[in-house]
């Protein structure tokens, strides 16, 4: 009876394994079919050494934030699959894994509709043949990982977190903002969490948010790039409640974003990180300067895209977009018609002819059929400040100076209408010009004239407007940023979903 039960168990296991192999859909049927069409044999994985190396390579995908089980791992480990079916699944697994390492698992436009960066390219069939012939299948997928040092730093951080057992974590429930001198049960939990994170040596007795707790909160806020006001609002609470699993997911999301980018972002190029509120200037892999940046509000988000800086405009007029003219300026002028002249605005009709502002009754002007063009003269009040850095695009987004420089003192700087207000933009302009004919002194002399002046760059410079919520700080490790536009969840959902057929 025992032998009959064992035999039945073996039969059922075999049938289940065969069924799994039969129903497992291919992830990359086009590439797989084409490969076999051009191959002289239908069993390219007949070498058990190569096949075992493939399983090893697939297991290694977890180090890159990908799920090895997305690539037929269970079916391939079954010992009952017919040779031809096993071979087909193995080839499909390699092609889909290689493509996801090279291009990303997600199509970037599915989560960032404005994405324009060129993707990395490789001859995948040739790479697979080379690996099979050379016996290098185990390391063959690693060659498609991004070469950026930041990617390597995130991968290293992920390895540390994957090795760490999930530690007990105190969660602080949502509620009103916790402020100094408040006393309640949530403050007690806050103290325990700060001890866990190493910002308090020991939780003091009682439920009072004392000075030591407040200072610990400020230190935590500084480390996570939040406003260090000592109060625990929604953003600080979310960061405090982020545990090891949350950090792993955040790393996976941002490693995927790196896979969408080309390895060569440009010898000299700009990177703007929306979530980091900064623009960095890079030359031959070295970060030469960093400029604090004010980005779009959550309801006027700065788009993610790549382009090329072509020219700068010193002492620019501000051509107010019609959407801002009707949404922002019209209500202002209705309340205070004198603001037109006081703020340096000029009103033009549809033929481009100046219209005296005193002749306009703004309360009778319709935003639905706005008949005017509004622009602001160069000067201290100009919304663009002393310079705008132009890379013409459909979003009408660019870098520019600002008269409200006090906002740079804040850690969270989502205050603009989509453009990137940039700290020290004249220094950045000199860096972009990269010419002794247009050094900072020459730029300052032109600014002093007050006259609008366009200057073309001697050589266009690539610019990448990106969104990273984990960033490498070099020897200081990885910094986790606030997901200000709530964009991480959609990427994570795609990473956790079954691969789409390609």
């Amino acid at each position: 009876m025992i032998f009959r039960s064992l035999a039945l168990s073996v039969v059922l296991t075999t049938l289940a394994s065969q069924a799994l192999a039969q129903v497992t859909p291919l992830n990359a049927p086009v590439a797989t079919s084409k490969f076999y069409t051009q191959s002289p044999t239908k069993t390219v994985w007949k070498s058990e050494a190569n096949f075992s190396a493939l399983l090893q390579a697939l297991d290694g995908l977890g180090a890159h934030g990908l799920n090895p089980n997305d690539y037929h791992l269970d079916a391939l480990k079954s010992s009952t699959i017919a040779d031809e079916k096993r071979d087909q699944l193995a080839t499909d697994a390699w092609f889909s894994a290689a493509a996801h390492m090279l291009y990303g698992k997600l199509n970037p436009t599915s989560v960032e509709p404005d994405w324009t960066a060129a993707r990395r390219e490789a001859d995948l069939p040739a790479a697979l043949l080379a690996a099979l012939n050379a016996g290098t299948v185990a390391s063959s997928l690693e060659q498609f990982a991004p070469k950026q040092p930041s990617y390597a730093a995130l991968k290293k951080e992920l390895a540390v977190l994957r090795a760490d057992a999930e530690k007990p974590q105190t969660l602080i429930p949502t509620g009103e903002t916790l402020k100094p001198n408040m006393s309640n049960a949530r403050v007690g939990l806050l103290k325990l969490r700060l001890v866990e994170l190493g910002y308090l040596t020991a939780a003091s007795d009682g439920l009072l948010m004392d000075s030591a707790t407040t200072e610990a909160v400020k230190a935590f806020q500084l480390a996570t790039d939040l406003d260090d006001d000592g109060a625990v609002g929604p953003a600080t609470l979310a960061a405090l409640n982020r545990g090891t699993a949350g950090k792993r997911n955040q790393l996976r999301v941002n490693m995927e974003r790196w896979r969408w980018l080309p390895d060569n972002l440009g010898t000299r190029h700009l990177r703007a990180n929306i979530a980091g509120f900064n623009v960095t200037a890079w030359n031959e892999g070295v970060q030469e300067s960093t400029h604090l940046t004010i980005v779009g509000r959550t309801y006027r988000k700065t788009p993610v895209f790549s382009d090329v800086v072509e020219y700068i405009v010193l002492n620019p007029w501000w051509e107010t977009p019609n959407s801002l003219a009707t949404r922002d300026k019209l209500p202002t002028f209705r309340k205070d018609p004198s603001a037109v002249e006081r703020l340096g605005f000029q009103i033009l009709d549809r033929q481009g002819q100046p219209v005296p502002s005193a002749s306009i009754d703004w309360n009778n002007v319709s935003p639905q059929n706005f008949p005017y063009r509004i622009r602001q003269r160069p000067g201290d009040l100009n919304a663009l400040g002393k310079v705008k850095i132009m890379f013409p695009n459909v979003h009408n987004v660019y870098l520019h100076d600002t008269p409200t420089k006090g906002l740079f003192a804040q850690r969270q700087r989502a205050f603009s209408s989509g453009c990137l207000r940039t700290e020290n933009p004249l220094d950045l302009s000199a860096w972009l010009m990269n010419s002794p004919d247009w050094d900072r002194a020459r730029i300052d002399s032109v600014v002093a004239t007050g006259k609008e002046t366009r200057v073309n760059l001697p050589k266009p410079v690539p610019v990448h407007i990106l969104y990273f919520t984990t960033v490498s700080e070099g020897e200081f490790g990885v910094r986790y940023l606030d997901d200000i536009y709530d964009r991480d969840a959609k990427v994570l959902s795609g990473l956790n979903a079954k691969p789409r057929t390609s």
Side-chain angles (χ1 to χ4, degrees), residues 408-432:
F408 289 120
Q410 300 197 34
R411 308 280 288 185
Q412 297 272 299
R413 297 184 292 275
F415 305 122
S416 84
S417 296
C419 282
L420 296 160
R421 305 180 200 169
T422 306
E423 184 187 43
N424 300 323
L426 295 179
D427 288 340
L428 183 57
S429 297
W431 184 89
L432 287 165

Short mmCIF file of all heavy atoms in Angstrom, two decimals, residues 408-432:
data_model
loop_
_atom_site.label_atom_id
_atom_site.label_comp_id
_atom_site.label_asym_id
_atom_site.label_seq_id
_atom_site.Cartn_x
_atom_site.Cartn_y
_atom_site.Cartn_z
N PHE A 408 15.15 78.70 -1.64
CA PHE A 408 16.21 77.68 -1.67
C PHE A 408 16.60 77.22 -0.27
O PHE A 408 17.22 76.17 -0.11
CB PHE A 408 17.44 78.21 -2.41
CG PHE A 408 17.24 78.36 -3.88
CD1 PHE A 408 17.37 79.59 -4.51
CD2 PHE A 408 16.92 77.26 -4.67
CE1 PHE A 408 17.20 79.73 -5.87
CE2 PHE A 408 16.75 77.38 -6.03
CZ PHE A 408 16.88 78.61 -6.64
N ALA A 409 16.25 77.99 0.74
CA ALA A 409 16.58 77.62 2.12
C ALA A 409 15.73 76.44 2.61
O ALA A 409 16.08 75.79 3.59
CB ALA A 409 16.41 78.81 3.05
N GLN A 410 14.63 76.17 1.93
CA GLN A 410 13.76 75.07 2.33
C GLN A 410 14.27 73.76 1.74
O GLN A 410 14.82 73.73 0.64
CB GLN A 410 12.32 75.34 1.89
CG GLN A 410 11.74 76.62 2.50
CD GLN A 410 10.24 76.66 2.42
OE1 GLN A 410 9.57 75.64 2.52
NE2 GLN A 410 9.70 77.86 2.24
N ARG A 411 14.06 72.67 2.44
CA ARG A 411 14.53 71.36 1.97
C ARG A 411 13.60 70.79 0.92
O ARG A 411 14.05 70.17 -0.05
CB ARG A 411 14.63 70.38 3.15
CG ARG A 411 15.43 70.90 4.33
CD ARG A 411 16.91 70.77 4.12
NE ARG A 411 17.38 69.39 4.20
CZ ARG A 411 18.66 69.05 4.14
NH1 ARG A 411 19.59 70.00 4.01
NH2 ARG A 411 19.03 67.80 4.20
N GLN A 412 12.31 70.93 1.10
CA GLN A 412 11.32 70.46 0.13
C GLN A 412 10.92 71.67 -0.71
O GLN A 412 10.34 72.62 -0.20
CB GLN A 412 10.10 69.89 0.85
CG GLN A 412 10.42 68.66 1.69
CD GLN A 412 10.32 67.36 0.90
OE1 GLN A 412 9.28 67.00 0.38
NE2 GLN A 412 11.43 66.65 0.81
N ARG A 413 11.23 71.61 -2.02
CA ARG A 413 11.08 72.82 -2.84
C ARG A 413 10.23 72.56 -4.08
O ARG A 413 10.67 72.75 -5.21
CB ARG A 413 12.47 73.33 -3.24
CG ARG A 413 13.32 73.77 -2.06
CD ARG A 413 14.65 74.38 -2.50
NE ARG A 413 15.53 73.39 -3.10
CZ ARG A 413 16.34 72.58 -2.43
NH1 ARG A 413 16.39 72.63 -1.12
NH2 ARG A 413 17.10 71.70 -3.06
N ALA A 414 8.99 72.13 -3.87
CA ALA A 414 8.06 71.93 -4.99
C ALA A 414 7.12 73.13 -5.04
O ALA A 414 5.99 73.07 -4.54
CB ALA A 414 7.30 70.63 -4.83
N PHE A 415 7.60 74.22 -5.65
CA PHE A 415 6.84 75.47 -5.64
C PHE A 415 6.59 76.05 -7.04
O PHE A 415 5.88 77.03 -7.18
CB PHE A 415 7.58 76.55 -4.83
CG PHE A 415 7.91 76.14 -3.43
CD1 PHE A 415 9.22 76.13 -2.98
CD2 PHE A 415 6.92 75.76 -2.54
CE1 PHE A 415 9.55 75.76 -1.68
CE2 PHE A 415 7.22 75.38 -1.24
CZ PHE A 415 8.54 75.38 -0.81
N SER A 416 7.20 75.47 -8.09
CA SER A 416 7.13 76.10 -9.40
C SER A 416 5.93 75.59 -10.19
O SER A 416 5.17 74.73 -9.74
CB SER A 416 8.42 75.85 -10.20
OG SER A 416 8.38 74.60 -10.86
N SER A 417 5.79 76.13 -11.40
CA SER A 417 4.71 75.70 -12.29
C SER A 417 5.19 74.64 -13.28
O SER A 417 4.54 74.39 -14.28
CB SER A 417 4.13 76.90 -13.03
OG SER A 417 3.53 77.80 -12.12
N GLY A 418 6.33 74.04 -13.01
CA GLY A 418 6.85 72.98 -13.86
C GLY A 418 8.30 73.19 -14.26
O GLY A 418 9.05 72.23 -14.42
N CYS A 419 8.69 74.46 -14.46
CA CYS A 419 10.08 74.75 -14.80
C CYS A 419 10.98 74.55 -13.58
O CYS A 419 10.51 74.39 -12.46
CB CYS A 419 10.22 76.18 -15.32
SG CYS A 419 9.68 76.38 -17.04
N LEU A 420 12.28 74.58 -13.82
CA LEU A 420 13.26 74.32 -12.77
C LEU A 420 13.97 75.63 -12.41
O LEU A 420 14.84 76.10 -13.14
CB LEU A 420 14.27 73.28 -13.24
CG LEU A 420 13.68 71.90 -13.53
CD1 LEU A 420 14.60 71.09 -14.43
CD2 LEU A 420 13.41 71.14 -12.25
N ARG A 421 13.56 76.22 -11.31
CA ARG A 421 14.24 77.42 -10.83
C ARG A 421 15.55 76.97 -10.18
O ARG A 421 15.54 76.12 -9.29
CB ARG A 421 13.38 78.16 -9.81
CG ARG A 421 11.99 78.52 -10.30
CD ARG A 421 11.23 79.26 -9.20
NE ARG A 421 9.79 79.21 -9.41
CZ ARG A 421 8.89 79.58 -8.49
NH1 ARG A 421 9.32 80.01 -7.30
NH2 ARG A 421 7.60 79.51 -8.75
N THR A 422 16.64 77.57 -10.61
CA THR A 422 17.96 77.01 -10.30
C THR A 422 18.83 78.01 -9.55
O THR A 422 18.91 79.19 -9.91
CB THR A 422 18.66 76.59 -11.61
OG1 THR A 422 17.80 75.71 -12.32
CG2 THR A 422 19.98 75.90 -11.33
N GLU A 423 19.49 77.52 -8.50
CA GLU A 423 20.39 78.35 -7.71
C GLU A 423 21.68 78.60 -8.48
O GLU A 423 22.19 77.73 -9.18
CB GLU A 423 20.69 77.65 -6.39
CG GLU A 423 21.54 78.45 -5.43
CD GLU A 423 21.95 77.63 -4.22
OE1 GLU A 423 22.32 76.46 -4.38
OE2 GLU A 423 21.88 78.18 -3.10
N ASN A 424 22.22 79.80 -8.36
CA ASN A 424 23.48 80.19 -9.03
C ASN A 424 23.46 79.87 -10.53
O ASN A 424 24.38 79.23 -11.06
CB ASN A 424 24.68 79.51 -8.36
CG ASN A 424 24.81 79.88 -6.90
OD1 ASN A 424 24.54 81.01 -6.51
ND2 ASN A 424 25.22 78.92 -6.07
N PRO A 425 22.43 80.31 -11.24
CA PRO A 425 22.31 79.95 -12.65
C PRO A 425 23.33 80.63 -13.56
O PRO A 425 23.61 80.13 -14.64
CB PRO A 425 20.89 80.39 -13.01
CG PRO A 425 20.63 81.55 -12.08
CD PRO A 425 21.32 81.18 -10.80
N LEU A 426 23.89 81.76 -13.13
CA LEU A 426 24.92 82.40 -13.96
C LEU A 426 26.22 81.59 -13.93
O LEU A 426 26.92 81.49 -14.95
CB LEU A 426 25.16 83.84 -13.49
CG LEU A 426 23.95 84.79 -13.66
CD1 LEU A 426 24.29 86.18 -13.13
CD2 LEU A 426 23.51 84.86 -15.12
N ASP A 427 26.54 81.01 -12.77
CA ASP A 427 27.69 80.10 -12.72
C ASP A 427 27.45 78.90 -13.63
O ASP A 427 28.34 78.46 -14.35
CB ASP A 427 27.91 79.61 -11.28
CG ASP A 427 28.46 80.69 -10.37
OD1 ASP A 427 29.02 81.68 -10.90
OD2 ASP A 427 28.34 80.54 -9.14
N LEU A 428 26.23 78.37 -13.58
CA LEU A 428 25.89 77.23 -14.43
C LEU A 428 25.95 77.62 -15.91
O LEU A 428 26.40 76.83 -16.75
CB LEU A 428 24.50 76.70 -14.08
CG LEU A 428 24.03 75.46 -14.84
CD1 LEU A 428 25.01 74.30 -14.66
CD2 LEU A 428 22.63 75.05 -14.39
N SER A 429 25.54 78.84 -16.22
CA SER A 429 25.60 79.31 -17.61
C SER A 429 27.04 79.37 -18.11
O SER A 429 27.33 78.97 -19.24
CB SER A 429 24.95 80.70 -17.72
OG SER A 429 23.58 80.64 -17.39
N ALA A 430 27.95 79.85 -17.25
CA ALA A 430 29.36 79.89 -17.64
C ALA A 430 29.89 78.48 -17.86
O ALA A 430 30.68 78.23 -18.80
CB ALA A 430 30.18 80.62 -16.57
N TRP A 431 29.46 77.53 -17.02
CA TRP A 431 29.89 76.13 -17.19
C TRP A 431 29.37 75.58 -18.53
O TRP A 431 30.10 74.89 -19.24
CB TRP A 431 29.36 75.29 -16.04
CG TRP A 431 29.83 73.86 -16.06
CD1 TRP A 431 30.97 73.35 -15.50
CD2 TRP A 431 29.18 72.76 -16.71
NE1 TRP A 431 31.06 72.00 -15.75
CE2 TRP A 431 29.98 71.61 -16.49
CE3 TRP A 431 28.01 72.63 -17.45
CZ2 TRP A 431 29.63 70.35 -16.98
CZ3 TRP A 431 27.66 71.38 -17.94
CH2 TRP A 431 28.46 70.25 -17.71
N LEU A 432 28.14 75.90 -18.86
CA LEU A 432 27.56 75.43 -20.11
C LEU A 432 28.26 76.03 -21.33
O LEU A 432 28.51 75.33 -22.32
CB LEU A 432 26.07 75.77 -20.16
CG LEU A 432 25.15 74.94 -19.25
CD1 LEU A 432 23.79 75.60 -19.12
CD2 LEU A 432 25.00 73.52 -19.79
#
